[in-house]
Amino acid sequence: MGWGGSDARMREVAHGVYEIAIAQVFVNAFLVVGDSLVLVDTGLPGRTAQLLSAVRQAGRDPSEVRHVAITHHHVDHTGSLAAIVRATGARVYAHRLEAPILRGDEAPPPLMGRSVGSRVFLAVLQRLGPTAAAPAQVDHEVADDEELEGTGLRVIYTPGHTRGHVSFLHATSGALFVGDAAASGRRGLTEAVGNHDEDL
């Protein structure tokens, strides 16, 4: 499908797990389909219509989105969180170190590039688009190795990119949602290429 309007491009990456490509950038959200629906991350601001379109493409109704699991607070992972919660009433899960930033109670730490190229890239991003998401509720602050009831997800604490970064393991499908703790390359998982980790 194209990128016009509310269209979303998605593909099934594991049984019951759909990758939702967000616009024309390297940002994804994921939909886990079960008795209820789980979104893992919500992409950039203004992508709510695309996310809800993806839910419909999976043959489900947006009202069935009952959970949103957040890997970390960066705007490309949480930009549409507040709007998704308003549209669906879903519960939000995030690590206790990310929750104050998501709620708007604490400012996010500044992004610091490790190289000249990454510093230039970050400076351009700050001029071109939003650097923070609208404040959103966090209903449950997750802990390492916690099973999130009703989601099929287990929390794995993976700090580094941010202090409270977490990954989520979906045991049924074997899918591991790593946020920006790693990246996928031609040879499989690689070090994330964002070059702006809080603690490398």
Side-chain angles (χ1 to χ4, degrees), residues 132-147:
Q137 70 188 47
V138 175
D139 299 289
H140 182 79
E141 296 180 8
V142 304
D144 187 37
D145 205 36
E146 180 179 359
E147 302 277 350

Side-chain angles (χ1 to χ4, degrees), residues 8-166:
R9 193 167 65 192
M10 59 187 277
R11 66 184 178 117
E12 190 170 24
V13 294
H15 181 67
V17 176
Y18 295 87
E19 175 189 62
I20 307 168
I22 304 294
Q24 297 174 358
V25 294
F26 297 104
V27 177
N28 298 308
F30 295 88
L31 178 67
V32 181
V33 175
D35 292 338
S36 62
L37 303 181
V38 182
L39 276 175
V40 178
D41 291 338
T42 64
L44 293 159
R47 302 304 192 254
T48 305
Q50 288 179 331
L51 293 168
L52 298 181
S53 173
V55 170
R56 292 184 190 97
Q57 287 177 51
R60 304 292 287 266
D61 189 87
S63 66
E64 296 179 81
V65 177
R66 305 312 309 145
H67 313 277
V68 181
I70 296 296
T71 59
H72 64 294
H73 69 264
H74 288 160
V75 68
D76 56 331
H77 292 257
T78 63
S80 292
L81 177 59
I84 284 291
V85 169
R86 283 193 302 274
T88 65
R91 287 178 53 84
V92 177
Y93 304 83
H95 191 272
R96 65 176 179 82
L97 295 174
E98 305 292 294
I101 298 170
L102 293 173
R103 291 181 180 123
D105 297 334
E106 184 179 301
L111 297 177
M112 303 294 290
R114 295 192 308 265
S115 68
V116 173
S118 66
R119 289 191 289 274
V120 169
F121 177 71
L122 291 172
V124 169
L125 283 183
Q126 289 173 347
R127 289 183 178 269
L128 291 180
T131 57
Q137 70 188 47
V138 175
D139 299 289
H140 182 79
E141 296 180 8
V142 304
D144 187 37
D145 205 36
E146 180 179 359
E147 302 277 350
L148 301 183
E149 186 176 352
T151 68
L153 300 179
R154 181 168 66 88
V155 179
I156 302 170
Y157 183 41
T158 51
H161 186 63
T162 66
R163 293 180 305 146
H165 191 292
V166 293

